[in-house]
Amino acid sequence: MTPVSYQICCVGHLTQDHIISPVSDQYMAGGTSYYFSHALSGFQLNYGLVTSVAESEMSYVNELRGLGIQVHVFPSKQTLYFENIYAGHPDDRSQRVLAQADPFRAEQLTGINAGIFHLGPLLANDIPLELLKVLAAKSKVSIDVQGYLRKVENQQVCPAEWEGSREALSLVHTVKADESELKVLTGCATVREGIAQLAWFGVKEIVITSASLGSVVYCDNRIEEICAFKPAQEIDATGCGDTYIAGYLYQREKGASPKFAAEFGAAMASLKMESVGSFTGSEQEVLNFIQTAERIEKAFDIG
């Protein structure tokens, strides 16, 4: 492979998703890599994606390439297939996994470089420690911990312990998790204690979200509380976390402060929630939304 370099590169499986909610029942592409890539597609950014799908879902890759995204795709026997069921509220989701994809391998990323690698595992074995070590040796690594904290039992997505988490987190620059994932990951009772634990492991920046209650960001021994923005309507929460961290990393790569980057990510997530599918707006749309949208002044208790 001819060496290539990006400002931000995402590594994660594209998925086939069946999304069932009170207002819709749809089959569509999904996964961290899908929502993250769409969210950045309208921005001025040298961005690349490393993903894996079965031949039957190559149309998802072609869709992203049609947006101008550089996609490095590796074959898999199956495409990761999720069934997401929302019952009454966008934050209330149950999941089943109907097919699993092949894990990524370190040799697949030989010659691919980036200022930031964002890893979006969806299940615990998606991105092994060996690959994380390779990427951390040459770049900053950002990671959404969600996939490392869940396993599949009889097609049901269940909580799981992240084996080797201490070593893995010592290699990571930025961690994104929601409030419940942070408690599982660290065993700490409060968000503040959990953040302190991750920082002690060596994580430099930490983003913790709590849906409509807002989020917090940690950097340089400072915690900033970020209000959520009120969407015009709550239609589809799938991919909101991926959209948030895409906006956050984009602004950090541009040199923005952690607080502004988190506000930008939160605004993108709220805009994305207003419709089914991914966020594909412009940076200016997000900036306008920050200026005009109602802020939900009820930040969650960080302890």
Side-chain angles (χ1 to χ4, degrees):
M1 175 187 292
T2 302
V4 292
S5 183
Y6 301 103
Q7 289 172 278
I8 298 175
C9 180
C10 180
V11 182
H13 291 105
L14 291 171
T15 68
Q16 182 178 15
D17 286 358
H18 183 195
I19 299 175
I20 304 167
S21 75
V23 296
S24 67
D25 186 336
Q26 298 192 27
Y27 290 89
M28 58 196 301
T32 290
S33 61
Y34 182 82
Y35 289 102
F36 190 93
S37 297
H38 267 275
L40 295 177
S41 64
F43 298 165
Q44 295 298 311
L45 180 74
N46 181 17
Y47 170 72
L49 169 64
V50 176
T51 193
S52 179
V53 293
E55 183 64 31
S56 55
E57 277 70 52
M58 274 299 295
S59 60
Y60 300 162
V61 173
N62 295 334
E63 175 190 342
L64 294 175
R65 286 175 172 163
L67 296 173
I69 295 170
Q70 298 295 312
V71 184
H72 305 268
V73 59
F74 298 96
S76 175
K77 295 183 182 67
Q78 301 181 108
T79 296
L80 185 55
Y81 182 6
F82 276 102
E83 179 185 74
N84 299 319
I85 302 175
Y86 294 92
H89 191 276
D91 296 341
D92 181 12
R93 179 177 70 176
S94 64
Q95 289 184 307
R96 293 198 304 159
V97 173
L98 305 183
Q100 297 188 47
D102 300 333
F104 290 97
R105 304 187 308 276
E107 59 267 26
Q108 291 174 326
L109 277 87
T110 300
I112 300 177
N113 302 291
I116 300 172
F117 280 103
H118 178 63
L119 310 185
L122 299 170
L123 297 173
N125 65 345
D126 284 356
I127 300 176
L129 180 60
E130 290 74 18
L131 174 53
L132 177 55
K133 289 178 179 179
V134 169
L135 298 181
K138 60 182 178 179
S139 180
K140 291 180 180 178
V141 172
S142 166
I143 193 164
D144 188 323
V145 303
Q146 181 186 58
Y148 285 116
L149 302 178
R150 59 189 189 183
K151 61 183 178 181
V152 180
E153 292 183 349
N154 298 321
Q155 297 188 331
Q156 298 295 321
V157 177
C158 306
E161 289 189 8
W162 180 2
E163 294 184 11
S165 61
R166 174 76 176 274
E167 182 179 5
L169 290 168
S170 71
L171 304 170
V172 173
H173 182 274
T174 303
V175 161
K176 183 266 176 188
D178 67 25
E179 186 177 5
S180 62
E181 291 163 354
L182 179 67
K183 290 180 179 180
V184 172
L185 182 61
T186 64
C188 295
T190 70
V191 171
R192 189 178 298 275
E193 291 170 344
I195 288 174
Q197 183 74 69
L198 292 182
W200 186 72
F201 288 161
V203 181
K204 303 298 187 296
E205 297 186 22
I206 303 164
V207 177
I208 307 300
T209 62
S210 191
S212 60
L213 295 181
S215 57
V216 298
V217 59
Y218 165 90
C219 182
D220 295 331
N221 295 315
R222 180 182 179 88
I223 294 176
E224 300 276 5
E225 298 187 47
I226 311 298
C227 292
F229 294 87
K230 186 176 180 61
Q233 51 186 346
E234 296 182 350
I235 298 297
D236 179 17
T238 305
C240 280
D242 303 319
T243 303
Y244 183 121
I245 194 62
Y248 177 84
L249 293 175
Y250 168 72
Q251 287 294 340
R252 289 296 283 151
E253 175 67 11
K254 288 182 63 179
S257 70
K259 182 178 181 180
F260 178 77
E263 289 181 341
F264 188 88
M268 283 179 65
S270 291
L271 283 168
K272 180 261 161 289
M273 188 180 288
E274 293 181 351
S275 60
V276 174
S278 55
F279 175 86
T280 55
S282 68
E283 182 174 3
Q284 191 58 51
E285 286 178 67
V286 182
L287 296 174
N288 292 342
F289 186 74
I290 291 173
Q291 294 298 317
T292 61
E294 178 184 349
R295 295 176 186 242
I296 304 174
E297 302 288 346
K298 54 175 183 178
F300 63 102
D301 182 13
I302 67 173

